[in-house]
Amino acid sequence: MWSRLAWWVLCCICASEALRVGVGIADVTGPPAEIGFMGYAHLEQSGHGIHLRQFARAFVLEDESNSTRVVYVSVDAAMMGIGVRREVIKRLQKRYGDLYNDGNVILSGTHTHSTPGGFLLDFLFDLSILGFVKETYVAYITGIVKSIVTAHNNIVPVRMEYGEAELLNANINRSPSSYLRNPPEEREKYKYDVDKTLAQIRFVTPENEIVGVINWFAVHPTSMNNTNRLISSDNVGYASILMEKELNGNNTLPGKGRIVCAFASTNLGDVSPNTRGPHCEFSGKPCDQEKLLCKLHKERCFASGPGRDMFESTKIIATKLFDTAMKVLKGPGEDLTGPVGVIHQFVEMPTQEVSPYDPVTETFNASAKVSGCYPAMGYSFAAGTTDGPGAFDFTQGTTSSNPLWNAVRDFIAEPTAEDIQCQKPKPILLATGRAKFPYEWQPKIVSCTMARIGGLFMAAVPGEFTTMSGRRLRSVVAKSSGARRVVVAGLSNVYSDYIATPEEYQAQRYEAASTIYGPHTLDIYLNKYVELTNALLQGSKLDPGPQPPDFSEQLITLVPPVLWDSAPWGHEFGDCLKQPQKQYSYGDIVAATFVSGHPRNSERHGRWYAAVERLESEQDDAWTVVATDADWETKYIWQRSSKILGTSKAEIEWEIPVGTPPGTYRLHHYGNYKYILGGIYPYHGFSDSFEVT
C-alpha cells in the first residue's frame, strides 16, 4: 500500500508543471435536409433545416515529462463509429506521424437524437437512415480533424481542477422498474435512481485564465422528440453554447470562441430529461410501456417536460446544466494536476470468459465463469422508450417470443440454439451477430480505453451504460486505481448499444433488450477495465486486440442524390419571396422566405445558411453578423416546393432576444444550387431591412 501511495505522490510532484492542454472547436454539421436522424430509428424523421449546428470540441492533453498524449473529443452527434475514428486517425497521421493513434484518440458522441445518421457502417444502425450517407461521414471526419488540429496548435501549460455539484429536476430514470431489480443493499448506497452529480474538470493557465472545461452529467439529449425535423445538438449542445458565450463574451458567435466548453456523455443509458414522465398522448393519463394504460386507438405512451413543448424543454434543461456548471466553475477547484497516461484495447466480446461481479460484496467471484454472446436484439428493443416509442404492438418487459416475428427473424438470420440459450431471458427478435447480408449488422469487436489525467481516471466506453452499470464501473476502477475521481465517458469510438446490469437484464425493458452481448455484458466490461487500469498503473503493455473489420468497400445507400435545382418562373436563387415587417421589438419573431437550392449541394462548415445582420454604418453600407443558424434564437427551415421541378424555399426565423441593441437589421440567406446541365454554384440573398426598437 505504501509503495503505491509513494509512487502516486512522487508522480504528482514531478508532473505538477508538466501538463499541457490545447483546445479546439470546429463545425461538423451534417447534411441538413432529407437525411434521416440517428437515434429514434424513426423512418419519417429526416432533416428539414437547422436549429442548432453541430460542433466537435477537442482537448489534446500532454504530459511533457513522459511525452504521453491523449486526445478527447466530444462531438454533437448521436454516437461515434469505428469508420469515422479510423479515418480521423489516418488523416492525423498524415500530418503528425504516429503521434495520434488507436491507443490515444477518444471520440465521444453527446448522443443527441436530432442529427444526421448514416455514418456508423454497421448495417442495423444505418438501416433506418436508408444506408450509408457520405455527406454525414465526411462532415464528421473533416470537422473532428479540424478541431484536433486546432487543439494541437494551441497547446499551453495548465493545471487541472475538479469540481462537482448536485443538479436536481433535470433527469429521471425512464426504466425505474429495471433499476429496482438491482440488490437493495447496493441501491441503499445511493440517494437517487439516477446520478444527480455534475462533474467538471477545468484547465487553467499559470495566469489563471480558463482554457477549456469538460462537464459530465447523466442525461439523454432527447428533449427534442422524434417529431423534430431540424438539426439540433439538444440540451447538452445548447448548454455548451451558453457556457462558451458566457466565457468568451456574449457577442461571440457559436463555434468561434477561444474557450471551449463541452457537456459530454456519461452513463446516461436509462436517464431521460423528460421530467414530467410518461403520459398517454391524448388522455394525459400516466402510463407505462409494460402495463399500458392508454386505451384510445393508437394513443402512444411517451414522456415530456419540463416545458410546454420540446423547444422550451430543451432550453430549460440546458439552462439548468449551464447554471450548475457555472456555479462549479466559480467555486474552488480540487487540483488534480498530475501524470497523463492512456491504454487501449480492441475486445472481441462474444469470445470473452470472465469472473462475475458481486455488487453486494464488491468483489469478483473467481470460482465462477460467465461469457459473452453473439450480438442480438430483444423484442423490447422494438418497443422503443418513453422518450421515443417504437412501432407495431411491442411492449417493454417482453420475455416470450412470437412465432410470426421469429419467422421474420429467421428469414434475415437464424440464431443458433447456443445463441438462444446464451441470451436468455431475452427473446431474440434480430440475430444481428449472425446476419451477414449485406455486411455486419452490429459490431463484435469493441474499443475500450482507460485514460488518466493526474488524479482523474476516465473510462471511455463503447456504448450506453445504465445508471447502476456506470456506478459499478466507477467503483471497480476507483478501487483498482486508488484514484480520487473517476468518470465514465460514454458512446466512445465504437457504438455497441446498451449495457444493463445482469439484474436489470432480467426485466428485459428497452435497455436490457438492447444489451447485445447477453446478460453478462457488464461483467465483461468490469473485468476488462480493471485489467486496463492495472496495466496503466504498472506501465505494462497489452495485446492491442483484433482490429474491427473494414466494410467501407461494401457500403450501400438508398438515399437519392440531389438531381438539380431550379428557381420559380420570374425569380432567381436568393430572391426574398416573403419580406419581414418594418418594425419589431423584443420577443417578436422575424421571418422571411427565400428561393433556395438544396442544402445538400455544399457543406457550409463555418459558413452558414442563415444569418442576422445589423447595420453599423449607413454611409458605408457596413453590416455585422450578430447571429447565425448556430444560435438558439434562429431557425433555418428548408422545404421542397416540387421534386419534379427541383424548386424549394428556405424560411429564416429570428426570435429577437431581450437586450438586442436597437437598430436596423436584415436576414441574409446563403446557399448553393445545382444546375440541371451540371455544376454547383453559390448564391445569396437579403431580406428588406427592418427596425428593432
Side-chain angles (χ1 to χ4, degrees), residues 76-138:
D76 289 329
M79 62 282 290
M80 277 293 103
I82 189 62
V84 170
R85 182 175 184 264
R86 184 182 283 131
E87 186 62 29
V88 166
I89 292 172
K90 180 180 175 182
R91 296 190 185 191
L92 290 173
Q93 291 184 337
K94 285 184 178 180
R95 285 176 174 262
Y96 306 115
D98 198 42
L99 185 62
Y100 303 114
N101 51 66
D102 269 336
N104 65 1
V105 174
I106 301 168
L107 308 182
S108 172
T110 62
H111 204 39
T112 170
H113 285 37
S114 293
T115 53
F119 63 95
L120 287 169
L121 311 193
D122 291 297
F123 188 68
L124 180 66
F125 301 140
D126 290 344
L127 186 59
S128 63
I129 320 297
L130 302 181
F132 175 67
V133 181
K134 187 176 181 180
E135 297 108 303
T136 308
Y137 188 68
V138 172

Side-chain angles (χ1 to χ4, degrees), residues 47-61:
H48 284 280
I50 299 173
H51 180 225
L52 292 172
R53 278 185 171 268
Q54 301 169 254
F55 293 101
R57 294 174 170 88
F59 301 82
V60 174
L61 305 100

Side-chain angles (χ1 to χ4, degrees), residues 12 30 107 110 124 140 181 318 385 419 449 503 530 533 568 653:
C12 287
L107 308 182
T110 62
L124 180 66
Y140 289 174
R181 294 287 188 115
T385 72
D419 294 338
T449 306
E503 296 83 2
V530 168
T533 301
E653 294 182 1

Side-chain angles (χ1 to χ4, degrees), residues 299-509:
E299 187 179 18
R300 298 173 300 169
C301 172
F302 66 91
S304 63
R308 292 166 296 180
D309 58 27
M310 60 183 169
F311 292 100
E312 187 178 54
S313 294
T314 301
K315 188 173 186 178
I316 290 171
I317 298 298
T319 303
K320 286 177 178 288
L321 290 166
F322 162 68
D323 288 342
T324 305
M326 288 304 300
K327 176 185 174 183
V328 175
L329 190 69
K330 292 175 181 178
E334 177 185 351
D335 194 340
L336 294 183
T337 309
V340 173
V342 64
I343 193 165
H344 171 270
Q345 189 176 54
F346 287 115
V347 179
E348 189 171 5
M349 293 295 286
T351 65
Q352 300 300 302
E353 189 175 90
V354 300
S355 299
Y357 179 74
D358 186 336
V360 177
T361 62
E362 298 183 346
T363 58
F364 291 95
N365 182 1
S367 63
K369 293 295 179 182
V370 294
S371 60
C373 310
Y374 262 63
M377 302 295 279
Y379 271 59
S380 297
F381 147 75
T385 72
T386 52
D387 288 339
F392 304 105
D393 293 322
F394 291 99
T395 59
Q396 294 208 44
T398 301
T399 55
S400 59
S401 60
N402 176 290
L404 175 61
W405 285 114
N406 284 353
V408 174
R409 173 200 69 193
D410 294 347
F411 178 77
I412 298 170
E414 186 176 0
T416 66
E418 292 80 5
D419 294 338
I420 294 170
Q421 181 64 33
C422 187
Q423 292 279 355
K424 281 186 175 180
K426 177 199 291 180
I428 297 176
L429 179 64
L430 292 172
T432 52
R434 301 295 176 182
K436 297 179 181 178
F437 178 81
Y439 41 87
E440 182 180 82
W441 280 46
Q442 283 182 309
K444 299 181 183 71
I445 298 171
V446 299
S447 167
C448 298
T449 306
M450 176 60 68
R452 177 186 68 204
I453 311 113
L456 179 117
F457 274 62
M458 179 170 67
V461 298
E464 303 177 56
F465 276 57
T466 62
T467 297
M468 195 61 88
S469 293
R471 287 169 174 173
R472 290 184 192 177
L473 179 59
R474 292 198 300 266
S475 176
V476 298
V477 170
K479 189 174 181 179
S480 298
S481 64
R484 287 174 279 173
R485 305 294 180 185
V486 178
V487 295
V488 175
L491 299 116
S492 294
N493 296 341
V494 174
Y495 183 61
S496 60
D497 272 280
Y498 283 75
I499 300 91
T501 69
E503 296 83 2
E504 292 164 351
Y505 190 88
Q506 303 305 308
Q508 277 302 298
R509 283 180 64 87

